[in-house]
Amino acid sequence: MRVLGIETSCDETGIAIYDDQLGIMAHQLYSQVALHADYGGVVPELASRDHIRKTIPLIEAALAEAGCSRDDIDGVAYTAGPGLMGALLVGATIGRSLAFAWNKPAVAVHHMEGHLLAPMLEERVPAFPFVALLVSGGHTLLVRVDGIGRYQILGESVDDAAGEAFDKTAKLMGLDYPGGPRLARLAELGQPDRFKFPRPMTDRPGLDFSFSGLKTATATTIAAEGNDDQTRADIAHAFQQAVVDTLAIKCKRALQQTGLNRLVVAGGVSANVSLRQQLETLMTGLKGEVFYPRNEYCTDNGAMIAFAGLQRLKAGETEPLAVRARPRWPLDELEAVN
C-alpha cells in the first residue's frame, strides 16, 4: 500500500509518500519560521494562509520526487488534530478532497500518534510494549504503548509543555524565534555549576510535569544576574539541564512503574543532544533500550503521518466525506489497530 501523508497542524507544511514495501519514497517539508520570526511566535491566521499556498505545490513535488501519479496512490492520510484549528482545516480539506477526487480512501491521523510511531520509520524498530516520551512545543506526555492505538497516558504537563518552556525562556533571554534550538546551542557554552534551578514535581510521587515554575525561576535569575554573554550562556545551561533532568527522572519512574525496559522518545524536543545523552545513560544503567527518529522526523513532517495513516488504512479505517478537525484530541481516545 502506498499512502500520501499531509501534515499542517502548526507552522510546517509536511508532505510525504510512504510505501509499505519501499519505505519513504518522497519527503517534502516547508517551514514557516521566517514568516513568524518578526512576531516572536506562531501567528495562527498567517500559518493557515501559508499552508493554503504551499500544500498543493508540495504534493505535486512529492509525486514528482517519488515518480508517482495519483493513480499510484492507494490512500490519503492527513493530520486532523490536535493543533491550530485553521491550519488543521487546510490539510484536512485538501486531503479529504483529493481522496474524493481520486476515488481513494482517506484517514484522519492524530498528530501525536504520528510522532509516537516516527521511530518505526528507522531500521531499528522498537517492539511493543514500550514507554513513550512525547515531548514537543505543544505536548509533554508519558505513554504506555501496548500496540497501535493501545495507549495509556501515564503523565502529562499540567501547564507549559517542555518545548514551550524552552521557547518562552529563550524569548526572556532575548533570543530570536524559534528560541528552543537557539537556547540549546547557547547552553553548550555555559558553565555547568554556576546556577541551579528546580526540577519541578520530582520531589513528589507521580508522572505529571510542570515547567511554568522553572520558567519563572529562570526569569528571576535573568533579572537579578544581568545579561552579559557568559551569564546568558550559564543560565541557558542551567535551564536546559533542569528540563533534561526532570524528563529523565520521570522516564525512569515510568519504566519502573510499568516494568518495561524500552523507551521511545519523539517530538521536536527529542532532537535535543543533551536529552539524548542523558536518556542513553539512563537506559544503559537500566539495561534497556532507547529509540528515536532521525532529526528530520523529530519535528512535524508528512512521513510520520503517512506511516501512521497506512497502519489505520490497512486495518480498514476510513474517514467519511465530511471534513473534521479536532484542535484538542486526547491520545487515549484512539481506537486500537488489531
Side-chain angles (χ1 to χ4, degrees), residues 84-254:
L84 301 175
M85 187 60 170
L88 290 168
L89 281 171
V90 175
T93 302
I94 291 174
R96 190 63 194 88
S97 299
L98 283 178
F100 177 75
W102 295 351
N103 194 28
K104 310 290 185 181
V107 65
V109 174
H110 192 291
H111 180 74
M112 297 311 294
E113 181 172 62
H115 277 303
L116 190 153
L117 298 179
M120 296 183 179
L121 295 167
E122 308 300 331
E123 291 185 9
R124 182 170 161 265
V125 175
F128 300 115
F130 55 78
V131 170
L133 172 66
L134 302 180
V135 56
S136 67
H139 300 83
T140 305
L141 294 171
L142 275 168
V143 186
R144 179 187 172 117
V145 181
D146 289 294
I148 297 176
R150 298 172 62 193
Y151 308 133
Q152 178 189 356
I153 305 299
L154 303 173
E156 58 190 323
S157 181
V158 299
D159 42 55
D160 292 349
E164 183 181 7
F166 263 95
D167 287 338
K168 288 181 177 179
T169 301
K171 193 170 185 178
L172 290 171
M173 299 178 71
L175 300 176
D176 291 336
Y177 174 83
R182 296 178 190 277
L183 188 150
R185 288 195 292 272
L186 181 62
E188 295 175 2
L189 306 175
Q191 301 175 20
D193 301 317
R194 183 175 174 188
F195 299 107
K196 178 79 170 180
F197 292 138
R199 277 59 176 162
M201 296 182 71
T202 60
D203 59 348
R204 68 194 77 172
L207 295 171
D208 286 338
F209 302 90
S210 172
F211 293 106
S212 63
L214 171 59
K215 182 186 64 183
T216 301
T218 308
T220 302
T221 303
I222 292 170
E225 296 293 335
N227 206 27
D228 64 89
D229 289 346
Q230 188 58 54
T231 296
R232 289 166 70 247
D234 295 344
I235 292 172
H237 185 282
F239 170 82
Q240 176 175 263
Q241 196 57 52
V243 174
V244 167
D245 285 349
T246 300
L247 294 173
I249 289 167
K250 293 302 178 86
C251 284
K252 183 177 181 179
R253 285 186 189 176

Side-chain angles (χ1 to χ4, degrees), residues 3 7 39 73-74 78 81 84 95 99 128 136 149 152 165 181 190 215 218 245 248 252 263 291 316-318 320:
V3 175
E7 157 60 29
Y39 305 95
I73 301 298
D74 299 307
Y78 53 85
L84 301 175
F128 300 115
S136 67
Q152 178 189 356
K215 182 186 64 183
T218 308
D245 285 349
K252 183 177 181 179
L263 177 67
F291 300 83
E317 287 192 26
T318 58

Side-chain angles (χ1 to χ4, degrees), residues 231-289:
T231 296
R232 289 166 70 247
D234 295 344
I235 292 172
H237 185 282
F239 170 82
Q240 176 175 263
Q241 196 57 52
V243 174
V244 167
D245 285 349
T246 300
L247 294 173
I249 289 167
K250 293 302 178 86
C251 284
K252 183 177 181 179
R253 285 186 189 176
L255 291 161
Q256 291 173 335
Q257 178 178 308
T258 59
L260 301 176
N261 68 347
R262 284 184 293 272
L263 177 67
V264 160
V265 188
V269 182
S270 70
N272 183 280
V273 173
S274 181
L275 177 61
R276 290 196 177 205
Q277 290 173 342
Q278 190 141 331
L279 292 179
E280 292 280 0
T281 300
L282 169 67
M283 296 311 293
T284 298
L286 295 176
K287 296 181 171 55
E289 298 177 281

Side-chain angles (χ1 to χ4, degrees), residues 33-47:
V33 164
L35 177 67
H36 300 289
D38 289 343
Y39 305 95
V42 177
V43 181
E45 180 63 24
L46 295 180

